């Protein structure tokens, strides 16, 4: 879980965001180790999206601080963006460009050299078995491949941290599992994976998970620790109990 | 799958629809009984939305036929529209109208009033009534979903069709939404809903598993495990990645899939004695240095069945 150096790629301390009188994210604190797979769970409206927008340098915090990939999100947002990858459920790929063109485009945006792009393209299409489709437009390839390609593009520049926002929504159960193996492989090379999901079985695949309710982190630990702490059979049970308690309050 | 005569709420026979080279629906047949809560379960791109659009007369099939409440989806489209309620997957209410204005608008389109529809929608409407003057666009996701459900029910339809009502919704809100559907079904309404979340199958009386335009199976979710033709073994160990690799290397391994905090294993060959397979797995894992493996025989769930059917279909196609 913790890397040999115990290095942290995300450090969050009292991070807060207010919109007018509404506090969307309320003094959250946690650390994520380099190479860890961290599940960021919460009900709709709990504040996950606002928190992620702060962590990726798109939204300034109202109070508290966060360092991501070694940079302060408030003062060095541009450096944060350069050192992370991001993939949302609605893929960021260009449907009318081919597989190769998408890789080249993102490689260019991330500032990779032509030689590096060439090399990464070959590696990537080999690994995803996309050789025959390299010149096909992205819109014509199956959804499951698109999703794996979107992930690979998000880590094209070997970022220290990759943020995945509901990466497996609507995907068939076999592809969903293959996708998690891709996540493991990436984490094993030292990239930190920060992931949100509505599939509670996927929460069990994370090294640690946090559960957010009404802007606060109310539970944080390994899946085994949380199940023990709440005397629950699954993370689903833990989640339902905490999230229900939150809405009732 | 057999036609049930004029009594069926929906009877579909050989429905097909393509878009260019893509077969969105490929020879789909099923029936829905009156008063049933029927689910279509499958990933994005399975053809669920095309099917719902045909059943609600918004799209015509290329081949095959369907009767909804005894009416033909092509010839009697106008009559069908007033008798079914449809909640499309994408939020399609008027964002600039208030909650109450949206409801009154949809009621008037169907030639009725909010007051006449009040009885059916009451249990849902009471949850959003505190926000009745708020613009629909400013509602939270869960509230929007409840308003859309009210709008689909305000003309007191006999059949409710919901296309992915819970997609992108958190696990708690999803449960609450299905609780609402169960309440509606108890009042006698026939409901057909689609979802990509396999765990929601258990809320339906029958489900159709759908993938790439084809129905893989139609079954009672409580009995779907019977469709599984081989013993299923669940294995737990601390180092999951090593466990996956070891199980895949096990002689005779068929499918090896992570399932929450365990890994599900089957032999490649059907049949076989469950206890013998479990013992062989246990011994082999110990020999491969995974000392903490806990091995048990479990009953297959809907996701196990879905994946097995997907693989079988993939093998047939290859």
């Amino acid at each position: 879980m913790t890397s040999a150096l115990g290095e942290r790629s995300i450090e969050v301390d009292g991070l807060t965001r207010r919109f007018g009188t509404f506090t969307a994210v309320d003094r959250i604190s946690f650390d994520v180790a380099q190479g860890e797979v961290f599940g960021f769970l919460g009900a709709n409206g709990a504040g996950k999206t606002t928190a992620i927008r702060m962590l990726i340098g798109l939204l300034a915090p109202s109070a508290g601080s966060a360092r991501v990939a070694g940079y302060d999100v408030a003062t060095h947002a541009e450096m944060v963006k350069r050192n992370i990858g991001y993939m949302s459920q609605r893929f960021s790929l260009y449907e009318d460009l081919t597989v190769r063109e998408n890789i080249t485009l993102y490689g260019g945006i991330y500032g990779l050299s032509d030689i590096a792009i060439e090399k990464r393209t070959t590696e990537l299409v080999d690994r995803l078995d996309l050789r025959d489709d390299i010149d096909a437009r992205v819109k014509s390839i199956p959804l499951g491949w698109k999703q794996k390609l979107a992930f690979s593009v998000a880590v094209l520049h070997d970022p220290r941290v990759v943020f995945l926002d509901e990466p497996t929504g609507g995907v068939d159960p076999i592809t969903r599992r293959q996708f998690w193996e891709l996540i493991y492989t990436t984490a094993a090379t030292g990239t930190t994976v920060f992931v949100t999901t509505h599939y509670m079985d996927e929460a069990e695949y994370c090294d640690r998970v946090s559960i957010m309710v009404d802007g606060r982190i109310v539970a944080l630990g390994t899946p085994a620790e949380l199940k023990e702490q709440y005397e629950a059979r699954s993370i689903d049970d833990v989640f339902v109990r905490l999230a229900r308690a939150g809405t009732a309050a | 799958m057999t036609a049930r005569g004029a009594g069926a709420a929906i009877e579909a026979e050989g429905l097909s629809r393509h878009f260019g080279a893509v077969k969105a629906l490929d020879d789909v047949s099923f029936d829905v009984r009156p008063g049933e809560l029927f689910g279509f379960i499958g990933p994005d791109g399975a053809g669920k939305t095309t099917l719902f659009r045909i059943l609600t007369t918004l799209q015509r099939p290329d081949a095959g036929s369907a009767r909804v409440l005894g009416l033909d989806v092509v010839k009697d489209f106008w009559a069908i529209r007033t008798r079914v309620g449809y909640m499309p997957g994408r939020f399609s209410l008027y964002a600039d109208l208030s909650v109450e204005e949206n409801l009154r608008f949809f009621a008037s389109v169907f030639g009725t009033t909010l007051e006449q529809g009040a009885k059916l929608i009451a249990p849902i409407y009471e949850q959003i009534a505190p926000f009745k003057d708020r613009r629909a666009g400013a509602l939270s996701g869960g509230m929007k979903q409840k308003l859309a459900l009210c709008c689909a029910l305000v003309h007191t339809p006999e059949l409710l069709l919901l296309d992915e009502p819970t997609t992108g919704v958190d696990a708690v809100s999803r449960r609450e939404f299905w609780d609402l559907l169960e309440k509606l079904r108890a009042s006698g309404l026939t409901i057909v809903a689609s979802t990509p979340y396999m765990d929601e199958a258990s809320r339906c009386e029958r489900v159709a598993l759908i993938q790439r335009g084809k129905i893989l199976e139609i079954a009672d979710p409580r009995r779907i495990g019977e469709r599984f033709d081989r013993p299923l073994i669940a294995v737990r160990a601390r180092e999951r990645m090593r466990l996956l690799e070891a199980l895949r290397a096990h002689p005779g391994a068929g499918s090896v899939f992570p399932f929450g905090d365990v890994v599900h294993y089957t032999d490649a060959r059907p049949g076989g004695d469950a206890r013998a397979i479990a013992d062989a797995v246990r011994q082999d894992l110990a020999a491969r240095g995974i000392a903490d493996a806990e091995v048990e025989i479990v009953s297959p769930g809907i996701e196990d069945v879905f994946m097995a059917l997907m693989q079988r279909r993939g093998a047939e196609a290859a």
Side-chain angles (χ1 to χ4, degrees):
Chain A
M1 196 160 54
T2 340
S3 70
L5 299 168
E7 208 182 320
R8 293 179 181 344
S9 54
I10 302 179
E11 296 169 87
V12 179
D13 187 16
L15 193 66
T16 301
R17 174 69 204 205
R18 287 181 285 268
F19 295 105
T21 56
F22 175 67
T23 306
V25 174
D26 189 6
R27 289 165 290 162
I28 61 170
S29 301
F30 60 92
D31 292 337
V32 182
Q34 192 67 48
E36 187 174 2
V37 180
F38 189 85
F40 195 59
L41 310 183
N44 298 115
K48 289 189 312 269
T49 302
T50 304
I52 292 173
R53 286 170 56 80
M54 288 192 277
L55 295 179
I56 63 178
L58 289 183
L59 184 70
S62 307
S65 68
R67 290 179 75 81
V68 172
Y71 298 97
D72 187 299
V73 297
T75 58
H76 292 81
E78 287 312 311
M79 288 309 288
V80 169
K81 288 179 202 165
R82 229 173 269 195
N83 286 279
I84 61 167
Y86 175 78
M87 173 190 164
S88 73
Q89 191 193 354
R90 291 291 143 230
F91 316 120
S92 32
L93 299 173
Y94 290 87
E95 297 263 311
D96 285 325
L97 297 184
T98 65
V99 170
R100 187 201 301 274
E101 287 165 346
N102 266 286
I103 299 171
T104 308
L105 173 69
Y106 278 97
I109 290 171
Y110 291 134
L112 301 185
S113 69
D114 289 353
I115 296 166
I117 291 173
E118 186 73 39
K119 187 166 160 283
R120 297 290 294 187
T121 303
T122 311
E123 281 169 14
L124 206 152
V125 296
D126 277 347
R127 181 154 48 101
L128 298 181
D129 213 6
L130 278 172
R131 263 153 313 204
D132 296 341
D133 299 275
I134 186 162
D135 293 315
R137 285 183 195 211
V138 161
K139 68 177 169 200
S140 71
I141 67 173
L143 178 78
W145 291 7
K146 236 185 253 184
Q147 177 222 29
K148 286 180 228 166
L149 178 63
F151 175 76
S152 303
V153 164
V155 296
L156 198 62
H157 54 309
D158 272 324
R160 281 186 61 191
V161 187
V162 62
F163 289 85
L164 309 174
D165 196 1
E166 285 181 46
T168 55
V171 173
D172 74 70
I174 293 182
T175 309
R176 206 152 72 75
R177 285 168 171 79
Q178 291 169 343
F179 189 81
W180 271 89
E181 290 196 24
L182 210 53
I183 289 181
Y184 276 136
T185 316
T186 306
T189 66
T191 299
T192 303
V193 180
F194 189 94
V195 58
T196 74
T197 180
H198 287 316
Y199 291 97
M200 289 300 125
D201 60 328
E202 295 185 347
E204 311 264 5
Y205 305 155
C206 300
D207 292 320
R208 284 189 307 151
V209 297
S210 70
I211 298 176
M212 210 169 165
V213 177
D214 297 339
R216 312 205 61 169
I217 288 180
V218 296
L220 174 69
T222 67
E225 284 167 0
L226 293 185
K227 282 184 279 185
E228 199 183 313
Q229 189 183 339
Y230 292 93
E231 293 172 359
R233 279 183 306 119
S234 64
I235 291 295
D236 190 30
D237 291 342
V238 176
F239 182 80
V240 168
R241 261 169 60 186
L242 290 172
R244 277 237 163 100
T247 6
Chain B
M1 207 112 111
T2 46
R4 300 173 70 86
I10 301 177
E11 297 171 76
E13 196 59 54
L15 282 180
S16 295
R17 170 77 205 207
H18 68 269
F19 297 101
V22 179
K23 270 190 182 171
L25 280 182
D26 188 3
D27 194 17
V28 164
S29 302
F30 64 95
D31 70 295
V32 176
R33 300 165 195 148
E36 190 170 27
L37 177 47
F38 190 95
F40 279 92
I41 309 235
D44 290 356
K48 304 188 297 292
T49 297
T50 303
L51 176 62
F52 276 68
R53 291 180 58 82
I54 289 173
L55 296 177
T56 51
T57 77
L58 299 174
Q59 208 144 52
R60 286 163 175 244
D62 297 329
S65 64
R67 298 184 81 77
V68 171
L69 303 168
L71 300 165
D72 185 276
V73 290
V74 177
K75 288 204 291 283
D76 307 319
F77 71 94
W78 200 246
I80 289 176
R81 288 184 188 183
T82 59
R83 292 176 59 188
V84 303
Y86 174 45
M87 184 169 151
R90 220 174 278 165
F91 180 69
S92 48
L93 303 176
Y94 292 91
D96 286 328
L97 295 186
S98 73
V99 167
E100 194 180 330
E101 285 166 345
N102 264 292
L103 274 167
R104 290 199 183 282
F105 173 76
F106 279 94
S108 70
V109 165
F110 286 105
T112 180
T113 61
L114 174 54
E115 288 67 28
Q116 278 178 294
K119 188 162 171 267
L120 185 59
I121 65 170
I124 312 152
Y125 187 58
E126 67 190 23
Q127 299 178 29
I128 52 173
F131 312 99
K132 68 184 171 65
D133 296 323
R134 190 178 289 184
R135 281 193 323 111
L139 293 173
S140 72
M143 292 291 166
K144 273 184 190 158
Q145 186 197 35
K146 282 171 191 160
L147 175 58
L149 183 57
C150 285
C151 288
L153 288 170
V154 72
H155 60 297
T156 326
E158 295 153 67
L159 169 67
L160 177 63
L161 292 149
L162 307 130
D163 190 13
E164 297 205 28
T166 56
T167 290
V169 174
D170 67 72
V172 171
S173 309
R174 291 203 278 125
R175 281 179 200 214
E176 287 171 354
F177 194 80
W178 280 96
D179 290 344
L180 275 180
L181 294 188
E182 270 170 26
K183 256 188 221 169
L184 287 169
R185 195 202 60 80
S187 74
L189 189 65
T190 307
I191 303 175
V192 181
S194 67
T195 178
Y197 297 103
M198 306 265 150
D199 58 343
E200 293 179 359
S202 62
R203 309 299 294 260
C204 303
E205 287 168 273
R206 282 190 306 152
V207 291
L209 306 184
I210 183 168
Q211 157 92 350
R212 288 194 205 148
K214 281 198 169 280
I215 290 182
L216 303 174
E217 186 77 76
I218 297 176
D220 174 343
R222 280 152 291 275
R223 300 183 57 185
I224 197 135
E226 293 169 11
R227 314 284 164 127
F228 210 70
D229 63 355
R230 60 201 76 188
L232 182 67
I233 312 292
V235 188
R236 189 187 311 263
R238 216 174 57 81
E239 289 183 71
R240 194 184 291 110
M241 212 53 204
R242 264 190 75 207
L243 175 64
L244 278 172
E245 281 161 17
L247 285 170
R248 283 186 185 137
H250 180 62
S255 68
V256 176
F257 289 121
F259 258 83
D261 63 348
V262 299
V263 175
H264 282 186
Y265 168 91
T266 68
D267 268 359
R269 273 202 263 166
D273 174 60
R275 209 170 292 172
I277 295 170
D279 285 343
V281 165
R282 199 176 286 121
Q283 281 165 19
D284 187 48
L285 288 175
R288 288 173 197 272
I290 299 180
D292 66 334
E294 296 169 38
V295 180
E296 60 176 329
I297 301 157
V298 294
S299 339
I302 183 123
E303 215 162 6
D304 295 296
V305 174
F306 196 96
M307 291 196 289
L309 291 170
M310 269 179 78
Q311 287 184 314
R312 197 179 305 166
R313 180 131 305 174
E316 280 166 14

